[in-house]
Structures are given as C-alpha cells and as structure tokens.
Amino acid sequence: MNETLLIAMGPIAGVLALLYALWKASWVKKQDPGTEEMVKIAGYIQDGAMAFLSSEYKVLAIFVVIVAALLGVANMSGEAQSPIIALSFVVGAVASGLAGYFGMRVATNSNVRTTAAARNSLTEALQNSLSGGAATGMSLGGPALLRLGGLRLLYRTVLFPE
C-alpha cells in the first residue's frame, strides 16, 4: 500500500465517523421528547447551552486570531518552519468548535429523550443515551481524523512533496 493511500485513510475514516454521527443524531431526534413540560425545560437548557457556546466562541475567536498570527510570524523563516502552521492551527480550532457545537446539540437533544424513554423502560433509556453518546463521540473523533489526515495529505502531496 502506498503512503498517499495510507494518509488518505484518516480523512476517509473521519468522513465515515461523521456519517455515523449524523445517522445516530437523526435517530435520537426522532425519539419521543416527552411531555410538553419536558420539552419546554429541554428548550431552556438547549438555549442556555447554545448561549454559553456563543459567548465562549466569541472569546476563543480572538484568541485563535492572535495565536495564529503569532504562529505565522514565528514560523516565517527557517528550514523546518512554515507560516502554514498558522493555517493548521486555525483549521484545528474551527473543526474543534464545530465538533463542540454539534456535540452540544446532540447531547441536549439526547438528554430529554433519554429522560422520556426512562418513563417506559431502562432499555429504551439506554438506547437513547448510548446513541446520543455515540453521535457526540463520533462528532469529536471524526473531525479530528478529517483535519489531521486532510492536512497531512495536503502537506505531503501538494505543498511539500518529496
């Protein structure tokens, strides 16, 4: 197996993980969210979680821009240095932010549906909980594989071929 194909396996696995996460998240979303009061409370929790992420991401955006600029300047010259390191940092930060957003959405959707399912049976509650956890976990691991493998593939085959 050649090296390019091996490097491409990371992004391929990342895409498969994201597809699995979307499938599990859509399954969770189709489950019964419970009573009207449960839906109302879950809405407040989700609104609060999204407001928190929005506030956090505004602060992190400033941090990412500053650190990316510093990384770019610090790696302008030198044999083993490249300002493209700043791009890698930004890609990682954006992918992490998207993973956090998706994970929070799935977690808040899953929580109320797990609670509603627990009224019927432990098995249903566990199915909801584990599906939500699987979607959240894959939404974290998938983008990591996609960005790391994708950047490695880009660097190895396009920007810095041997």
Side-chain angles (χ1 to χ4, degrees):
M1 201 177 281
N2 73 25
E3 184 181 359
T4 303
L5 182 58
L6 281 173
I7 294 170
M9 292 176 95
I12 292 168
V15 168
L16 291 174
L18 288 173
L19 290 173
Y20 182 78
L22 288 171
W23 174 58
K24 284 305 217 178
S26 67
W27 182 87
V28 167
K29 189 84 171 155
K30 291 176 187 173
Q31 304 309 303
D32 176 25
T35 66
E36 192 175 310
E37 185 178 9
M38 291 170 72
V39 171
K40 185 177 174 182
I41 292 169
Y44 293 144
I45 292 169
Q46 191 166 59
D47 289 347
M50 292 300 118
F52 165 76
L53 281 182
S54 178
S55 296
E56 181 180 40
Y57 287 175
K58 287 175 187 171
V59 172
L60 284 174
I62 295 166
F63 174 80
V64 167
V65 168
I66 291 169
V67 171
L70 291 171
L71 284 169
V73 170
N75 289 286
M76 285 291 225
S77 61
E79 190 174 312
Q81 295 177 324
S82 172
I84 208 110
I85 289 171
L87 172 67
S88 299
F89 178 75
V90 171
V91 168
V94 169
S96 292
L98 289 172
Y101 175 83
F102 183 74
M104 186 69 81
R105 297 288 290 189
V106 171
T108 53
N109 282 331
S110 175
N111 288 344
V112 69
R113 286 159 174 81
T114 299
T115 304
R119 296 176 308 154
N120 299 326
S121 77
L122 179 60
T123 301
E124 284 182 46
L126 283 173
Q127 285 176 331
N128 276 283
S129 177
L130 293 175
S131 292
T136 300
M138 290 295 172
S139 74
L140 297 174
L145 287 170
L146 194 55
R147 74 178 175 258
L148 291 173
L151 286 171
R152 175 74 172 136
L153 190 61
L154 175 70
Y155 295 159
R156 188 73 169 148
T157 60
V158 178
L159 298 174
F160 307 109
E162 286 184 3

